[in-house]
Amino acid sequence: MRLNKYIASAGICSRRKADELIAAGNVKVNGAAMREMGYDVKEGDRVEVNGTPIMPEQKKIYIAVNKPYGYVTTMKDEKDRLTVADLVTDIPERLFPVGRLDYNTTGLLLMTNDGDLAYRLTHPKHEVYKTYVAVVSGVISDARLAKLRRGVDIGGFVTSPAKVKVLRQNPRSAVVEISIHEGKNRQVRKMFNAVGNRVMELERISIGDIRLGHMQRGHYRKLTRQEIEYLKSL
Ligand code: URA
């Protein structure tokens, strides 16, 4: 197995992060620094990350969290804010989030110690649609809808066509369902800004076929076997 995949599948980190650790010289194979991410790990090789020997396989855990407002989707925060790690304190395995949600975005976040799967799911070439419900200011006119559906410039990047549906138009705000398969930073907020609406609330309700369902904010559940198989098949 390739060295970066081996580290990721041991649940140490994502494959992308493993590449960085390898490039930085923090990974040793049989006592010597190894900077080739494609090195083929052989039976009996001793791999160390930052001086700690790692075991190849670990029990894999996959959970869906309903992230509340005011949590960051990292496992530690330098500003001491609450993190999603604070929501899953009763799972001893070290999990990390698959992708990210903004501090003030709520809803579905997947977490796992399967770094390889996490890598594949967040890779731009994987076109997994993520669906959000946004409460936005003002009126969502047909022209604005058409722009969002076509793709908008969010500052040097033109988004791919989105699926957009107005769920409710109030006098001064609207509730809109939007599905995108890209994951640019603050993408949904920027897309609405680009057409003249401000996002006031944002919740992610699904990632591909995985749905948030009726889980309470701050709670989590283990994914079902079918859901795990589905994610692996993507
Ligand atoms: N788009 C955003 O703007 N924020 C999120 O948290 C997720 C998608």
Side-chain angles (χ1 to χ4, degrees), residues 154 159 180 182-191:
I154 54 168
T159 58
I180 58 171
E182 296 153 320
K184 297 284 173 203
N185 200 16
R186 302 177 73 77
Q187 181 165 337
V188 173
R189 293 175 199 272
K190 286 179 182 167
M191 288 174 74

Side-chain angles (χ1 to χ4, degrees), residues 74-98:
T74 52
M75 298 309 272
K76 263 206 198 103
D77 184 54
E78 74 285 356
K79 294 188 206 147
D80 252 2
R81 290 172 296 185
L82 288 166
T83 81
V84 288
D86 295 309
L87 300 171
V88 289
T89 45
D90 53 348
I91 295 186
E93 282 82 1
R94 188 161 167 272
L95 302 181
F96 43 91
V98 179

Side-chain angles (χ1 to χ4, degrees), residues 3-221:
L3 182 57
N4 54 358
K5 187 168 177 188
Y6 180 90
I7 295 169
S9 64
I12 305 296
C13 58
S14 69
R15 201 185 322 171
R16 204 172 285 118
K17 181 77 189 161
D19 286 343
E20 288 170 20
L21 290 169
I22 295 166
N26 294 332
V27 175
K28 285 185 182 169
V29 177
N30 303 325
M34 168 56 70
R35 290 174 194 265
E36 254 179 77
M37 9 218 142
Y39 171 81
D40 186 26
V41 180
K42 292 164 205 72
E43 191 85 44
D45 274 350
R46 210 165 61 88
V47 179
E48 286 168 61
V49 176
N50 291 325
T52 308
I54 62 164
M55 297 296 146
E57 280 294 335
Q58 244 198 13
K59 188 173 152 223
K60 297 287 190 286
I61 311 248
Y62 306 86
I63 64 168
V65 181
N66 186 350
K67 178 192 164 306
Y69 290 99
Y71 279 73
V72 287
T73 52
T74 52
M75 298 309 272
K76 263 206 198 103
D77 184 54
E78 74 285 356
K79 294 188 206 147
D80 252 2
R81 290 172 296 185
L82 288 166
T83 81
V84 288
D86 295 309
L87 300 171
V88 289
T89 45
D90 53 348
I91 295 186
E93 282 82 1
R94 188 161 167 272
L95 302 181
F96 43 91
V98 179
R100 58 184 302 284
L101 286 178
D102 297 336
Y103 185 69
N104 277 334
T105 300
T106 59
L108 181 61
L109 179 75
L110 301 180
M111 294 179 73
T112 181
N113 57 353
D114 183 340
D116 194 51
L117 183 76
Y119 170 81
R120 290 193 288 119
L121 287 176
T122 52
H123 197 281
K125 82 168 196 272
H126 279 281
E127 303 209 340
V128 186
Y129 271 94
K130 292 162 212 120
T131 301
Y132 299 83
V133 173
V135 180
V136 303
S137 63
V139 173
I140 280 279
S141 62
D142 287 345
R144 287 172 173 179
L145 269 182
K147 280 190 197 164
L148 290 168
R149 287 184 180 139
R150 221 172 23 235
V152 288
D153 189 333
I154 54 168
F157 177 82
V158 178
T159 58
S160 297
K163 299 178 193 170
V164 192
K165 198 159 74 183
V166 179
L167 301 180
R168 196 163 59 244
Q169 178 64 65
N170 303 318
R172 290 187 191 169
S173 65
V175 184
V176 186
E177 188 180 289
I178 179 165
S179 300
I180 58 171
H181 62 71
E182 296 153 320
K184 297 284 173 203
N185 200 16
R186 302 177 73 77
Q187 181 165 337
V188 173
R189 293 175 199 272
K190 286 179 182 167
M191 288 174 74
F192 280 104
N193 267 343
V195 299
N197 300 90
R198 193 169 56 82
V199 170
M200 300 187 294
E201 286 176 35
L202 188 62
E203 178 177 49
R204 181 156 66 192
I205 57 167
S206 65
I207 297 172
D209 288 354
I210 314 280
R211 315 199 133 267
L212 179 64
H214 293 296
M215 208 179 351
Q216 268 180 281
R217 292 259 161 89
H219 285 213
Y220 74 88
R221 65 176 175 86

